[in-house]
Amino acid sequence: MKILIVEDEPKTGAYLRQGLTEAGFVTDLAREGWEGLELAKSGHYDLVILDVMLPGLDGWHVLEGVRRAGIGTPVLFLTARDRVDDRVKGLELGADDYLVKPFAFAELLARVHSLVRRGQASLESAVLKAADLELDLLRRRATRAGRKIDLTAKEFALLELFLRRKGEVLPRSLIASQVWDMNFDSDTNVIDVAVRRLRVKIDEGFDTKLVHTVRGMGYVLETGAENAGS
């Protein structure tokens, strides 16, 4: 577990770094807002502990920049400001927790563990997988065996549906209603064309085929071809 500490007060920064390191975390320490923002935007951290009053760029703006970059890393605000409107502002900007200085390290550590667990659970639920195929819902990115797959918005939605209902045969009517928000017309081949294009992108060049046709019924995503017509 890796934690970024953004704290300009030397004693507090050293205290946090030592305590969290002894608790088994890997830590980086930034002493200015701009430095903290650039490190946080790398997305390589499981948690950011962020002071509000920082030189160069305050904690509010650091948090805004992190969330604007699409980084969902949990953020714990540390500050001496105990006004209710300050706490509300931090939470509205996307902070996950708020701890007022001075604080007991035991309480900080308990909150750190809670936020890291919550962040891991959120991250896991945001990535759908089948074999070596991964669909990252937060970053809107699909990969197979580490290779990026470029998908249209409809293809992304179609693949998400397949992955969420992995192993389940999906009739064309269900696909039409879930992805295209329309009633299925047996005279249209829009579903078949879309599935064919998706299969080319995610299955072509791979020994294990994931999307299969079940004749007379619809389509299914599974790692084996059993029960599949083609």
Side-chain angles (χ1 to χ4, degrees):
M1 297 291 101
K2 193 169 184 180
I3 296 178
L4 172 63
I5 304 163
V6 189
E7 169 63 66
D8 65 312
E9 206 286 311
K11 288 185 178 179
T12 303
Y15 170 68
L16 288 171
R17 189 169 199 176
Q18 180 179 348
L20 290 169
T21 299
E22 291 176 354
F25 294 97
V26 176
T27 61
D28 285 336
L29 175 62
R31 300 193 183 280
E32 295 188 359
W34 286 111
E35 180 188 6
L37 176 59
E38 291 307 309
L39 287 171
K41 284 168 65 176
S42 71
H44 296 156
Y45 297 95
D46 297 285
L47 175 68
V48 177
I49 297 177
L50 179 62
D51 188 22
V52 172
M53 305 305 292
L54 294 166
L57 190 71
D58 66 29
W60 309 125
H61 288 95
V62 172
L63 179 58
E64 282 184 313
V66 170
R67 295 299 186 240
R68 196 180 302 121
I71 304 298
T73 305
V75 172
L76 169 63
F77 261 134
L78 280 184
T79 181
R81 302 173 64 161
D82 191 23
R83 292 166 47 191
V84 172
D85 55 346
D86 284 335
R87 296 200 299 272
V88 170
K89 180 179 180 179
L91 296 172
E92 287 181 341
L93 287 173
D96 297 87
D97 203 351
Y98 200 109
L99 191 59
V100 177
K101 300 176 181 177
F103 54 85
F105 186 78
E107 181 182 2
L108 171 86
L109 191 58
R111 295 193 186 205
V112 165
H113 282 301
S114 175
L115 289 171
V116 167
R117 284 195 302 268
R118 191 190 311 169
Q120 285 182 308
S122 175
L123 185 60
E124 288 171 1
S125 66
V127 179
L128 304 177
K129 300 179 181 180
D132 54 357
L133 173 70
E134 293 190 1
L135 190 68
D136 189 323
L137 302 181
L138 293 178
R139 296 179 176 86
R140 307 294 293 178
R141 183 174 62 190
T143 59
R144 183 156 189 194
R147 187 179 73 190
K148 184 180 178 183
I149 302 170
D150 292 320
L151 300 174
T152 66
K154 289 298 183 187
E155 289 167 348
F156 192 97
L158 179 58
L159 182 56
E160 180 180 350
L161 176 64
F162 276 130
L163 285 166
R164 287 192 183 279
R165 305 183 72 159
K166 183 169 54 178
E168 180 181 343
V169 178
L170 305 181
R172 290 172 177 79
S173 57
L174 185 144
I175 296 172
S177 65
Q178 294 291 315
V179 178
W180 277 266
D181 193 25
M182 68 178 189
N183 293 323
F184 179 65
D185 182 350
S186 59
D187 293 331
T188 182
N189 67 344
V190 62
I191 308 299
D192 299 314
V193 170
V195 172
R196 192 180 310 127
R197 288 176 176 168
L198 180 64
R199 290 168 99 170
V200 168
K201 291 186 176 183
I202 70 170
D203 279 342
E204 199 167 83
F206 294 95
D207 292 334
T208 301
K209 309 303 180 185
L210 297 177
V211 177
H212 308 280
T213 303
V214 181
R215 292 192 181 95
M217 299 180 66
Y219 297 97
V220 60
L221 185 146
E222 56 189 1
T223 55
E226 61 273 15
N227 302 321
S230 64

